[in-house]
């Protein structure tokens, strides 16, 4: 399966989606003006991946900032993951960033069929 | 040239560390954010405060960018999509303020959104955030309808706002968000 590997910028996150090596990660900053265009490639990739997923999918979110439009598409990504058996979210937040921790917990409440593990960095 | 000095004094008197007036685009948003971030880094601002100010600024600036596009046709007053953005730094708080023209017809819905947010406490805002994020779709302008709620949550205080009439079609929408400088 194709690998998505996007370098992060000041407004878009770093994205790695690599089925063969079992690496699934969105990290950095997400505040693009047009979130739909940026995240569509991620959602499309997940649709393909969902047809034949690995037995285990540990999806890492390690975000520093995201705008509210990104929060909606992050929920879309999490909702897709909820439908993939063996998927799990590793939600990182900076050790003094309570807002990011709370954001993760709120997503966990909404997408209640998807396990979350919280870690600090 | 006296206005230069007057403006300088006004900025100092109001503790304004950043003022931008003009056209707003995503690139300009990024530049303003970078300047504010450098300023807060330079004084060693607390990480949590810095992130809250940054978040509030992002929502505020992207609101202007998104909603000014509909005013793109330049009218005879040269109104266009010019807006103002200011960041003030007091001893106990940062003050993010913005002002931009909006159509008079849009005032009731904007006012209703802000009033709803201002009527809620911390838990009420959390519930509203969850309700909106579950049911919203990204608009054609790229928004999720969560901006005011998120600003209020990051601020912890009521959003300040006013509408000053410009003419029959437009008013000037001013918005003020306070971010306390303690974690």
């Amino acid at each position: 399966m194709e690998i998505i590997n996007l370098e992060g910028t000041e407004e878009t996150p770093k994205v790695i989606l690599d089925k063969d090596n079992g690496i699934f990660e969105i990290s950095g900053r997400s505040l693009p003006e047009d979130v739909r265009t940026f995240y569509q490639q991620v959602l499309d990739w997940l649709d393909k991946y969902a047809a034949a997923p690995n037995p285990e999918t540990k999806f890492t979110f390690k975000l520093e900032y995201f705008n509210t439009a990104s929060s909606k598409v992050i929920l879309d990504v999490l909702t897709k993951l909820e439908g993939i058996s063996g998927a799990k979210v590793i939600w990182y937040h900076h050790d003094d960033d309570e807002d990011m921790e709370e954001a993760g917990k709120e997503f966990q409440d909404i997408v209640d069929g998807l396990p979350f593990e919280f870690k600090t960095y | 040239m006296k206005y230069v000095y007057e403006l300088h004094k006004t900025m100092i008197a109001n503790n304004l560390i950043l003022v931008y007036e003009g056209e707003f685009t995503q690139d300009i948003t990024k530049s303003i954010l970078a300047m504010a971030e450098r300023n807060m880094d330079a004084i060693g601002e607390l990480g949590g405060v810095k992130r809250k100010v940054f978040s509030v600024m992002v929502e505020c600036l992207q609101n202007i960018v998104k909603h000014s596009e509909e005013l793109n046709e330049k009218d005879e007053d040269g109104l266009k999509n010019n807006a103002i953005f200011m960041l003030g730094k007091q001893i106990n708080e940062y003050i993010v303020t913005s002002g931009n023209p909006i159509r008079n017809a849009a005032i009731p819905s904007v006012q209703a959104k802000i009033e709803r947010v201002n009527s809620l406490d911390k838990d009420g805002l959390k519930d509203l955030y969850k309700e909106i994020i579950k049911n919203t779709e990204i608009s054609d302008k790229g928004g999720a309808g969560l901006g005011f709620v998120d600003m209020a949550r990051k601020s912890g205080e009521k959003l300040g706002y006013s509408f000053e009439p410009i003419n029959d079609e437009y008013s000037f929408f001013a918005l003020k968000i306070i971010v306390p400088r303690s974690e």
Side-chain angles (χ1 to χ4, degrees), chain A residues 11 29 67-68 96 106, chain B residues 26 37 51 59 62 153:
Chain A
E11 60 178 335
R29 297 180 167 200
N67 63 357
T68 54
D96 71 354
E106 284 168 14
Chain B
Q26 174 76 356
E37 214 174 7
R51 282 188 291 268
E59 296 306 318
Q62 290 190 328
R153 294 186 76 190

Side-chain angles (χ1 to χ4, degrees), chain B residues 14-170:
Chain B
N14 291 286
N15 295 298
L16 296 171
I17 55 174
L18 191 65
V19 176
Y20 173 83
E21 204 285 332
E23 192 180 357
F24 280 69
T25 63
Q26 174 76 356
D27 279 342
I28 284 165
T29 293
K30 284 190 285 182
S31 304
I32 294 172
L33 289 169
M35 276 189 275
E37 214 174 7
R38 228 171 289 143
N39 192 305
M40 289 188 284
D41 280 338
I43 59 156
E45 188 55 81
L46 294 169
V49 175
K50 208 179 87 178
R51 282 188 291 268
K52 281 188 168 69
V53 172
F54 189 90
S55 290
V56 167
M57 286 181 65
V58 168
E59 296 306 318
C60 201
L61 291 163
Q62 290 190 328
N63 259 354
I64 299 174
V65 173
K66 287 184 185 95
H67 295 286
S68 65
E69 279 161 11
E70 65 202 60
L71 307 174
N72 251 341
E73 71 278 19
K74 192 166 185 162
D75 71 10
E76 66 273 23
D77 301 327
L79 200 57
K80 218 193 162 195
N81 49 358
N82 274 30
I84 188 163
F85 177 87
M86 294 181 276
L87 178 64
K89 184 177 70 191
Q90 311 273 9
I91 293 167
N92 297 319
E93 61 200 24
Y94 282 91
I95 302 167
V96 177
T97 23
S98 68
N100 56 295
I102 71 164
R103 286 186 196 281
N104 290 332
I107 291 176
S109 78
V110 172
Q111 184 162 11
K113 275 185 199 161
I114 297 175
E115 284 299 328
R116 185 173 182 198
V117 162
N118 279 350
S119 74
L120 297 169
D121 63 4
K122 199 175 176 215
D123 288 339
L125 287 170
K126 184 179 177 138
D127 291 343
L128 179 60
Y129 182 88
K130 282 188 187 172
E131 181 197 314
I132 297 175
I133 199 173
K134 276 190 268 189
N135 298 305
T136 191
E137 291 297 332
I138 299 293
S139 72
D140 290 339
K141 293 191 196 113
L146 288 161
F148 292 139
V149 189
D150 194 62
M151 288 177 201
R153 294 186 76 190
K154 297 279 163 33
S155 161
E157 300 199 26
K158 305 294 177 205
L159 306 178
Y161 70 97
S162 72
F163 299 98
E164 309 294 338
I166 297 174
N167 58 30
D168 286 349
E169 204 181 342
Y170 295 104

Side-chain angles (χ1 to χ4, degrees), chain A residues 21-120:
Chain A
N21 291 302
I23 303 171
F24 314 90
E25 182 180 326
I26 296 180
S27 58
R29 297 180 167 200
S30 181
L31 35 121
E33 187 181 13
D34 182 358
V35 292
R36 275 191 298 202
T37 302
F38 184 81
Y39 280 92
Q40 197 55 51
Q41 56 194 330
V42 175
L43 295 168
D44 289 346
W45 191 93
L46 281 171
D47 278 337
K48 277 184 236 162
Y49 176 77
N54 294 346
E56 186 181 61
T57 307
K58 278 192 180 173
F59 203 110
T60 296
F61 285 87
K62 197 173 185 177
L63 292 162
E64 189 192 355
Y65 293 113
F66 55 85
N67 63 357
T68 54
S70 295
S71 67
K72 173 60 187 171
V73 285
I74 290 168
L75 179 59
D76 292 342
V77 169
L78 294 170
T79 305
K80 288 230 187 285
L81 288 173
E82 193 182 18
I84 296 171
S85 71
K88 178 182 184 180
V89 169
I90 316 293
W91 186 273
Y92 281 87
H93 61 90
H94 194 273
D95 57 14
D96 71 354
D97 193 351
E98 288 168 16
D99 288 337
M100 188 57 71
E101 183 182 12
E102 193 177 355
K105 298 223 157 116
E106 284 168 14
F107 282 127
Q108 184 182 27
D109 283 349
I110 298 168
V111 192
D112 55 9
L114 179 66
F116 273 64
E117 186 180 328
F118 290 89
K119 288 188 177 178
T120 56

Side-chain angles (χ1 to χ4, degrees), chain A residues 3-18:
Chain A
I3 294 168
I4 291 187
N5 189 343
L6 305 171
E7 282 297 322
T9 70
E10 59 189 338
E11 60 178 335
T12 54
K14 174 182 170 183
V15 178
I16 305 174
L17 298 171
D18 180 346

